Amino acid sequence: MLSKRIIPCLDVRDGRTTKGIRFKDNIDVGDPVEMGRYYYEQGADEIVFYDITASSERRPIMLDVVRRVAETIFIPFSVGGGIRTLEDMRDVLLAGAEKVSVNTAAVLNPDIIRQGAEAFGSQCVVLGMDVKKVQVSSKIPSGYEMVINGGRTYMGIDALWWAHEAERLGAGEICLNSIDADGTKTGYEIELTRLISANVRIPVIASGGAGEPQHLLDVLNQGLADAALIASMVHYGTYTIREIKNFLSENGLKVRSSW
Amino acid sequence: MIAILDYKAGNLTSVKRALDHLGFPSKITNSHEEIRKADKVVFPGVGAAGKSMESLAELGLDRLLLELFDEMVPILGICVGLQVLFDSSEENQTLCLGILPGEVRRFPEKIYSDTGDLLKIPHMGWNAVSFESDHPVFRGIPEGSEFYFVHSYYPQPADRNMAVGMTEYGITFASAVALRNLAAVQFHPEKSGSPGLRLLDNFCRWNGIL
């Protein structure tokens, strides 16, 4: 059986990680390459880099990061943030990423999913979804709406409909981020994750809200998520990936326990 | 030198980087001359069987692979590089290389976990491989090690003895196969952390003799 994946997410700005990280004295805490390797050695099942600046002139910095990360970690890693065109996708994949995550650009131009899947295969194309809970309406029957610009712009698109549509267009995986839960450390949005995961056949990575190992257990069990994204709970040294995996394993989940 | 076959099949550089890391010189190439000079051949792959067979035929690599197999050159197939070694694949009803007897089939639409949940296709993520023979390429890999998989089709060797590693995903399938100077894996050793690197290291040191 497949193991549930635990995926640290690094936010990168101008080629540096944005959050200070407290783990080892001998590591340049802002260097995404060092951090990628650290998490690789600590048992991460995959690593996500998110370019939060993501304007086109900054792209070369990120590509250099991707290239250097690819030389030192031998697990899958995906890159997202500011991916707008097939060329952007190609650049990131050629630099050594396994997967590329599209978010805003896919909402504005869904065809980018189809193009990416056709050119590079579905396994390369991750759909990032930023979602907010809203009133159920005829337009938003699931009560979850797609948003962009960090949650400031409502798109009038139903999240469940969009997940289906992206799967149909060829997305290989969904990274589902709840804007409501993001940064709260009070747990993932279980109801949303369950709704999406139960209704698509592609894997769903839960994102937003993780503060303690119990939150991962809940979203991987009740939320039916295939993987869980984590950030601050490991970045600040509160937990190690080993501790999280031990907890999940003790509670009956299958995780990769040797690496 | 180890030749990594270049037939426009996805992320070839990840195999190269892993071999670089392990300290084995390699080259991504489709030149027959260079491939013939290589001590060993890695045959990677991502994508569809049909398209892969087309590209191989265009470059004449289909015939070359058959010759290398006959000449006892060590060959490692990875993912689609494993699948097209068989007689045929259900993916686009593709006639494949026929080096390994058997066929490649799609996972059944309805497969379930032990707990009764409908399993997702593709089979994507980390799963265990139990190695069932003492083959040089798979030696020293700890029992229960997990590897990274991404695929919707799986190999079904005609001869049960060819299956040297088994994996469970709703069904039990051969995730590692071997015949003479050829070893092939459905997972991605170049993306599977230290057990994967160990496998590649073993292959790079193997002379193709059992």
Side-chain angles (χ1 to χ4, degrees):
Chain A
M1 287 305 306
L2 279 179
S3 289
K4 298 285 189 181
R5 286 172 284 154
I6 309 304
I7 307 176
C9 175
L10 301 174
D11 287 339
V12 180
R13 179 196 290 271
D14 299 335
R16 307 276 297 170
T17 41
T18 54
K19 286 172 183 163
I21 294 187
R22 214 171 51 191
F23 32 60
K24 268 186 182 172
D25 297 336
N26 61 347
I27 281 177
D28 172 358
V29 292
D31 181 355
V33 180
E34 290 275 317
M35 288 172 51
R37 189 166 62 202
Y38 177 80
Y39 286 131
Y40 164 62
E41 286 165 358
Q42 291 288 305
D45 298 312
E46 200 164 318
I47 290 176
V48 170
F49 284 82
Y50 214 74
D51 183 354
I52 58 171
T53 40
S55 62
S56 52
E57 66 273 20
R58 288 181 171 123
R59 177 63 55 200
I61 300 169
M62 191 60 178
L63 287 177
D64 181 53
V65 169
V66 174
R67 225 168 272 127
R68 287 162 54 223
V69 167
E71 283 166 14
T72 53
I73 72 171
F74 301 98
I75 53 174
F77 77 103
S78 61
V79 173
I83 305 288
R84 291 183 188 86
T85 65
L86 206 59
E87 274 314 299
D88 291 342
M89 295 172 91
R90 190 188 309 274
D91 286 348
V92 165
L93 294 171
L94 281 178
E98 262 61 54
K99 306 179 187 181
V100 50
S101 171
V102 288
N103 188 328
T104 302
V107 175
L108 301 174
N109 169 29
D111 200 52
I112 181 85
I113 298 172
R114 191 189 55 73
Q115 290 173 24
E118 227 160 66
F120 314 115
S122 282
Q123 81 289 340
C124 286
V125 184
V126 181
L127 175 74
M129 292 175 57
D130 286 338
V131 177
K132 260 187 136 161
K133 195 175 174 114
V134 294
Q135 200 90 54
V136 172
S137 63
S138 58
K139 207 172 175 189
I140 312 290
S142 75
Y144 290 101
E145 183 169 351
M146 294 304 303
V147 293
I148 59 172
N149 296 329
R152 289 188 298 274
T153 310
Y154 289 79
M155 298 305 291
I157 296 171
D158 186 87
L160 180 58
W161 177 85
W162 177 229
H164 274 141
E165 179 65 4
E167 180 180 30
R168 190 185 66 79
L169 289 166
E173 199 167 26
I174 288 174
C175 185
L176 180 64
N177 186 42
S178 161
I179 295 285
D180 304 301
D182 196 27
T184 61
K185 298 188 195 177
T186 55
Y188 296 90
E189 237 277 30
I190 306 285
E191 194 194 328
L192 166 69
T193 312
R194 190 182 175 89
L195 174 76
I196 302 293
S197 193
N199 283 288
V200 295
R201 198 79 193 268
I202 53 179
V204 171
I205 305 167
S207 161
E212 49 187 85
Q214 181 69 43
H215 296 154
L216 282 89
L217 183 65
D218 293 342
V219 83
L220 293 167
N221 267 338
Q222 298 146 37
L224 306 176
D226 299 281
L229 212 68
I230 47 174
S232 51
M233 62 186 290
V234 283
H235 290 343
Y236 298 119
T238 323
Y239 298 96
T240 63
I241 293 171
R242 170 77 74 187
E243 285 166 348
I244 296 169
K245 285 192 166 182
N246 283 348
F247 175 84
L248 296 174
S249 172
E250 280 158 18
N251 284 279
L253 277 188
K254 186 168 178 290
V255 290
R256 187 173 66 112
S257 56
S258 64
W259 42 82
Chain B
M1 197 269 292
I2 296 164
I4 300 169
L5 292 201
D6 178 11
Y7 60 108
K8 297 168 195 74
N11 200 349
L12 302 166
T13 53
S14 62
V15 175
K16 168 106 178 83
R17 272 189 298 267
L19 298 186
D20 287 350
H21 174 79
L22 293 168
F24 295 100
S26 63
K27 187 157 191 193
I28 298 173
T29 178
N30 57 32
S31 144
H32 286 222
E33 198 190 332
E34 274 180 334
I35 295 166
R36 287 203 164 279
K37 272 193 271 175
D39 312 311
K40 299 175 176 62
V41 172
V42 177
F43 180 34
V46 171
K51 230 177 188 172
S52 299
M53 280 306 298
E54 265 174 42
S55 309
L56 287 170
E58 260 167 46
L59 296 163
L61 294 177
D62 48 353
R63 277 171 292 117
L64 183 58
L65 271 164
L66 289 165
E67 288 170 30
L68 296 173
F69 178 68
D70 286 343
E71 290 161 20
M72 293 305 285
V73 175
I75 300 170
L76 177 68
I78 297 174
C79 196
V80 176
L82 165 148
Q83 296 184 355
V84 299
L85 293 169
F86 283 86
D87 292 324
S88 64
S89 170
E90 282 186 356
E91 189 172 21
N92 323 114
Q93 303 303 323
T94 305
L95 204 59
C96 298
L97 293 169
I99 295 177
L100 301 176
E103 58 175 340
V104 172
R105 311 197 54 184
R106 188 175 165 87
F107 278 113
E109 273 310 303
K110 304 266 178 208
I111 43 173
Y112 298 91
S113 71
D114 319 337
T115 49
D117 297 316
L118 183 66
L119 292 172
K120 295 186 174 180
I121 299 171
H123 172 224
M124 179 195 251
W126 296 83
N127 205 338
V129 176
S130 53
F131 293 104
E132 300 188 340
S133 80
D134 183 39
H135 188 285
V137 173
F138 306 107
R139 203 162 281 164
I141 295 170
E143 185 57 37
S145 289
E146 293 185 26
F147 295 85
Y148 189 77
F149 289 83
V150 187
H151 63 124
S152 302
Y153 294 81
Y154 68 94
Q156 203 171 54
D159 177 0
R160 182 68 184 72
N161 292 323
M162 273 169 26
V164 293
M166 303 301 289
T167 294
E168 249 176 77
Y169 190 63
I171 56 169
T172 302
F173 69 94
S175 51
V177 294
L179 182 66
R180 280 177 29 197
N181 50 316
L182 184 148
V185 291
Q186 179 58 65
F187 50 83
H188 288 272
E190 75 281 11
K191 284 290 151 189
S192 296
S194 51
L197 293 174
R198 174 64 193 258
L199 190 157
L200 291 172
D201 191 76
N202 285 345
F203 173 73
C204 292
R205 295 171 194 280
W206 183 42
N207 60 7
I209 294 169
L210 294 171

